[in-house]
Amino acid sequence: MSDESSACEFELESDSDDVDDEQIEVENLIYTSMQDVETDPAKALDGFSRAVELERTKGEWGFKALCEIVKLHIKSQRFTEMMGPYRRLLTYIQSAVTRNMSEASINGILDAVSSAPTLDVEGLRQFYGVTLAELEAANNERLWFKTKLRLGKMLFERKEFGEAARVIRELEASCKAADGTFVEERSSELLETYALEIQLYTEMRDNKRLRALYHRSLAVTSSLPHPRIIGIIRECGGKMHMSEREWRSAYQDFFEAFRRYDESGDARKIQCLKYLVLANMLSESGINPFDSNEAKAYKDDPQIVAMTSLIDAYHRDDLQAFDRTLRLNRVGFTDDPFIREYVVDLLRTVRCNYLLQLVAPYKALRLTFVADALGVQVAEAETLLLGLIMDGRITARVDQAAGVCELGG
């Protein structure tokens, strides 16, 4: 059976030996229809539809049959035809089936619909709207929140930022009491909402709101959220610190994000490990992040080897090895827009550190000599020297006319 069929899996067995003829007929009809799903979908659809009509009282078998009907429509991309059976299916969740069964089935259908390539945003909004309205009527707060959060994530991923912000406000409101204060028992849901909102502000580069929300998120201590949620918040915090050139704070956040992603088994841990190595070098730290027990395990990971070589060259002050690693792995470094944004800063940092050692024994150097040693143009070598002078890291003056840098004085 295809992956889409996993949306509403169920056992084709009766829960009791005491069944009437109607139930036997319904069960048999569903069973035979299941056999036709792959080979004759139209026949299967007809069988499931008849099973629903045969069940006089709403129950588990009618729910299962409707679930299969919805799946068949999704698979064949008949979304308009899907809505009728789906609305009918939702009427079962108040009393006809258990909460666990309804949640598992609806989540599976939401997965299938959200990944449907031909369903546009308006169609998804309609689908989610119908679902949320019925869940609210059924007073299923947990599934309502999860579904609303899923809608917000979908809108964010499709860059519908205005709509996503509206959903986030509704999610936050659901975590508040009548007096407007946040309910302590909803702290986990609140942090999940904050994690989505903080991603939104990061993408929008709204650092003012991002910083305020970041600190509010860290202040929520009355829950035990999934480590991935903390990972998202910390990663976005690290990106915020990077944008403001707060390298050490960025390193601390990226390390915490990496640790939480690692704990939850999230694949995002590898990318976050790259970010913490980047922040480590920009902060000019003497500590190798791969010395930590958490990061050491990934030192030889194929996706990390380039960063490992880069930071090894950095700690050896080997400018040639550093440049060579960057050049050989340029695609890998520039594929990620976030890393690409800081490559120039990183090169400047490494060249300045190398330059400090280069000029130390001399009283004067020709700018051409400095440029050759750094592998850059004379103008860039002069800019780097002037930067070190202005930052008070060396005492020197540059004689542009003579093309000389005189040290001391």
Side-chain angles (χ1 to χ4, degrees):
M1 198 176 296
S2 69
D3 291 340
E4 290 173 346
S5 67
S6 64
C8 308
E9 290 294 349
F10 57 86
E11 293 294 325
L12 293 166
E13 297 178 2
S14 172
D15 294 331
S16 169
D17 293 330
D18 184 21
V19 294
D20 57 25
D21 292 342
E22 174 199 295
Q23 183 172 334
I24 292 173
E25 185 177 359
V26 170
E27 290 179 23
N28 287 339
L29 193 50
I30 291 176
Y31 181 83
T32 54
S33 298
M34 288 294 295
Q35 312 309 308
D36 295 324
V37 165
E38 295 296 333
T39 57
D40 194 344
K43 184 179 178 183
L45 190 62
D46 180 66
F48 290 131
S49 299
R50 285 191 289 122
V52 174
E53 300 307 324
L54 278 171
E55 191 176 51
R56 288 191 296 268
T57 304
K58 286 182 182 178
E60 182 178 316
W61 291 103
F63 179 82
K64 292 171 179 177
L66 283 166
C67 205
E68 293 300 323
I69 292 170
V70 170
K71 287 174 356 187
L72 282 168
H73 283 312
I74 294 172
K75 185 176 181 181
S76 59
Q77 301 182 42
R78 295 192 301 267
F79 300 111
T80 301
E81 293 89 336
M82 172 195 71
M83 291 308 298
Y86 183 62
R87 283 191 174 93
R88 188 170 180 179
L89 178 146
L90 290 173
T91 65
Y92 281 63
I93 67 176
Q94 293 193 35
S95 58
V97 294
T98 66
R99 179 160 290 197
N100 284 342
M101 175 179 284
S102 64
E103 288 189 9
S105 299
I106 290 172
N107 277 327
I109 291 171
L110 288 170
D111 283 337
V113 168
S114 297
S115 59
T118 58
L119 187 60
D120 60 15
V121 172
E122 190 53 44
L124 281 169
R125 282 199 194 99
Q126 180 189 4
F127 182 83
Y128 273 93
V130 168
T131 307
L132 289 164
E134 194 61 41
L135 291 173
E136 189 171 12
N139 200 30
N140 192 329
E141 292 182 1
R142 181 179 128 182
L143 188 53
W144 179 93
F145 180 87
K146 293 293 185 186
T147 303
K148 194 80 170 179
L149 184 65
R150 184 195 287 261
L151 173 60
K153 289 177 180 177
M154 182 269 293
L155 291 167
F156 168 71
E157 288 166 1
R158 294 180 179 230
K159 299 192 181 299
E160 298 277 344
F161 294 153
E163 285 291 301
R166 180 185 60 78
V167 170
I168 287 168
R169 287 194 297 272
E170 293 171 359
L171 287 167
E172 288 185 359
S174 74
C175 298
K176 291 180 180 178
D179 62 0
T181 59
F182 286 110
V183 179
E184 188 171 324
E185 289 76 13
R186 303 296 301 273
S187 295
S188 293
E189 288 93 337
L190 181 60
L191 273 178
E192 286 189 80
T193 305
Y194 281 167
L196 175 58
E197 189 174 9
I198 208 169
Q199 290 177 88
L200 178 65
Y201 292 149
T202 299
E203 189 73 16
M204 295 171 65
R205 295 180 178 265
D206 189 341
N207 270 19
K208 183 178 179 180
R209 290 181 178 177
L210 175 57
R211 183 173 288 275
L213 180 60
Y214 167 77
H215 289 297
R216 284 207 308 274
S217 301
L218 297 185
V220 179
T221 57
S222 55
S223 69
L224 292 173
H226 193 283
R228 182 178 178 275
I229 298 301
I230 301 300
I232 291 171
I233 292 169
R234 288 291 194 170
E235 180 185 350
C236 290
K239 289 180 175 179
M240 173 191 72
H241 289 306
M242 288 285 280
S243 70
E244 298 179 356
R245 301 300 191 260
E246 298 167 348
W247 311 126
R248 292 186 182 181
S249 295
Y251 172 76
Q252 291 168 359
D253 267 337
F254 284 140
F255 185 83
E256 184 62 21
F258 162 73
R259 196 172 69 82
R260 295 302 185 118
Y261 285 143
D262 191 33
E263 181 183 346
S264 63
D266 194 291
R268 190 74 195 155
K269 62 189 173 185
I270 296 297
Q271 207 61 24
C272 216
L273 181 55
K274 294 179 182 180
Y275 296 165
L276 77 87
V277 171
L278 176 66
N280 175 272
M281 289 185 285
L282 286 168
S283 70
E284 301 183 56
S285 170
I287 300 172
N288 190 325
F290 289 106
D291 288 341
S292 70
N293 291 331
E294 294 91 342
K296 190 180 296 182
Y298 296 95
K299 189 173 183 178
D300 297 322
D301 187 289
Q303 299 178 71
I304 294 295
V305 168
M307 293 302 281
T308 306
S309 301
L310 206 61
I311 200 164
D312 285 345
Y314 167 81
H315 283 295
R316 295 197 315 271
D317 292 312
D318 188 338
L319 183 59
Q320 288 185 340
F322 192 92
D323 279 340
R324 184 169 59 252
T325 302
L326 265 183
R327 188 173 60 256
L328 292 175
N329 298 277
R330 184 164 297 278
V331 173
F333 289 126
T334 57
D335 272 354
D336 186 317
F338 180 73
I339 293 178
R340 183 170 65 241
E341 189 173 341
Y342 295 99
V343 167
V344 172
D345 290 300
L346 184 59
L347 273 171
R348 185 185 300 113
T349 298
V350 173
R351 285 168 178 165
C352 283
N353 288 341
Y354 181 80
L355 191 51
L356 286 171
Q357 295 185 48
L358 178 69
V359 303
Y362 297 98
K363 291 184 178 180
L365 303 93
R366 291 194 175 279
L367 295 181
T368 52
F369 170 77
V370 175
D372 288 343
L374 293 175
V376 299
Q377 298 295 316
V378 171
E380 187 171 351
E382 182 182 335
T383 299
L384 291 170
L385 283 166
L386 289 172
L388 291 175
I389 294 168
M390 293 178 67
D391 291 342
R393 299 178 73 179
I394 60 172
T395 302
R397 60 179 290 272
V398 174
D399 185 337
Q400 291 177 313
V404 172
C405 176
E406 299 172 354
L407 290 102

